[in-house]
Amino acid sequence: MSQENVELVRERYQQVNRRGFAAVADFLSPEFTMNSPQDVEASQAHDKAGLQKWFEKMDEVWERLAFDPTEVSALDAERVIAVVHTSGRAKGSGIEIDQELTHLWTLSDGKAVRFETYSTKWEALEAAGLPG
């Protein structure tokens, strides 16, 4: 199951870059939560509607926003870690971002139940209770 989860997460990054929220809606469990304090826009979402609001806000702020994973691997049967290059350009100001973040996904039965963002891979591994 862990390799299947890796492929599910990898595929969702590709799709979200093309289609936004629509690409992840069917991937989220009804119990989904998101904690993203270090991301391009700090956020917490406690359900699909909360994540949809986050994507809508991102659409308002960003002319372009892309999440390109450079590494995606399974930590165990339920958790996937992804080191992601995040880039974008803000509407209006033209300010650009170019940063690497680490996402920690928790999946159950092929659905995302939790998504967390960390500044570094080490922080994500530490939060997952694993050696960095």
Side-chain angles (χ1 to χ4, degrees):
M1 184 61 145
S2 59
Q3 188 57 36
E4 290 174 27
N5 286 343
V6 167
E7 294 308 315
L8 284 171
V9 167
R10 189 184 314 276
E11 180 181 313
R12 286 305 188 253
Y13 283 111
Q14 294 170 358
Q15 292 180 6
V16 79
N17 286 336
R18 288 186 300 232
R19 297 185 3 237
F21 175 74
V24 296
D26 67 335
F27 183 52
L28 306 179
S29 161
E31 298 82 32
F32 175 80
T33 60
M34 175 175 84
N35 186 14
S36 187
Q38 293 87 6
D39 212 332
V40 291
E41 182 71 29
S43 179
Q44 288 187 330
H46 300 288
D47 55 19
K48 289 182 185 183
L51 185 63
Q52 184 172 7
K53 286 179 186 177
W54 183 83
F55 272 103
E56 288 169 358
K57 186 173 184 181
M58 294 299 96
D59 285 342
E60 290 174 14
V61 173
W62 298 99
E63 173 184 319
R64 177 183 51 81
L65 186 60
F67 303 96
D68 299 307
T70 57
E71 176 187 339
V72 182
S73 56
L75 295 181
D76 53 35
E78 294 181 331
R79 296 180 298 175
V80 173
I81 192 169
V83 178
V84 180
H85 177 248
T86 305
S87 62
R89 179 194 316 262
K91 291 180 180 177
S93 69
I95 293 173
E96 295 198 14
I97 61 163
D98 185 30
Q99 62 184 351
E100 185 175 272
L101 297 168
T102 301
H103 298 156
L104 181 58
W105 293 87
T106 304
L107 289 82
S108 178
D109 297 322
K111 300 286 185 185
V113 294
R114 184 158 178 80
F115 172 84
E116 301 166 89
T117 301
Y118 297 92
S119 296
T120 66
K121 182 178 177 181
W122 181 85
E123 289 175 0
L125 290 171
E126 184 177 70
L130 301 170

